Amino acid sequence: MRLDARLPETRLQGRDGSARNLAGSATAATVGDRIRGRLDVAADQATAPGLDLSGVAATLTGDLPYPDLKRRRGDGRAVLSLKATASALGAGETRLRGLAADGAFDGAVGGWMEAFRIAGRSDLTLRAAGLDAAGARGAGLNLAAAGGRLNLERGPDGLGWRLDGPTTVSAERLAAGETTVEGLRLASSAMTLGGRGAAAEAVGPVTLGARRFRLGDLALNDIDGRAALDARFE
């Protein structure tokens, strides 16, 4: 079986989200008891519980188990690759600009659209040109998590995610009040990142470095140190 489909530009409105000027294409072909496909989507604006995105474009390719349409299940091994960009993303009082994401996944999937679970090995890179949050601003933000363990599930409480593994976070500049940090780099061999809806957390031991730190009249250069990170965002 082979599928080639096109979605002309349209508006989508649902209970759990919406999209404006949404367009896309999908191709899929069965190979034995599996299905290989590619999905391309773009939208001027898209919303989901706790999230608001603008200028979205994404390409997802995958090698998946053939779904059981009668039982509404799609269980088995999944290999996925994702490339996505967005001009802006808002979550609560936090807004990110100029986003790009690259991801790869090899693991297992189970369930259906309204309730599913994904677990396996993942590689993820996220980049953002700018950050505006309550009392804070940032530029040149990067997150890289290679060889981690990803868990993603959707159920009655919404969409939740967790990523465990080595992680590196960097920022060209962060500022909050009288505090400014330039050339920041945080690295952890055992970081836990997770969240549900607009809430997120980052917990784990980290080594840190910064090119420059300023707090009022105090200025420090070439900083190195270690810390235990426990950051939570609502």
Side-chain angles (χ1 to χ4, degrees), residues 54-150:
S54 302
V56 184
T59 296
L60 177 67
T61 59
D63 184 346
L64 305 163
Y66 193 83
D68 186 333
L69 300 180
K70 183 176 294 186
R71 295 176 55 235
R72 292 173 63 82
R73 302 281 302 184
D75 303 338
R77 184 188 176 205
V79 180
L80 301 168
S81 176
L82 172 70
K83 290 185 178 294
T85 59
S87 59
L89 180 151
E93 296 184 1
T94 301
R95 191 162 186 83
L96 293 164
R97 305 183 310 277
L99 292 101
D102 294 278
F105 173 84
D106 189 342
V109 297
W112 203 246
M113 292 296 294
E114 63 273 11
F116 62 81
R117 179 177 176 82
I118 299 173
R121 185 189 185 280
S122 69
D123 297 300
L124 177 66
T125 301
L126 299 175
R127 300 176 296 279
L131 163 71
D132 292 296
R137 297 175 66 86
L141 311 176
N142 292 275
L143 182 148
R149 179 75 181 177
L150 174 67

Side-chain angles (χ1 to χ4, degrees), residues 41 62 129-130:
V41 295

Side-chain angles (χ1 to χ4, degrees), residues 10-20 22 47:
T10 188
R11 182 181 182 88
L12 179 67
Q13 183 70 50
R15 184 182 62 182
D16 295 327
S18 64
R20 179 167 55 84
L22 172 67
T47 65

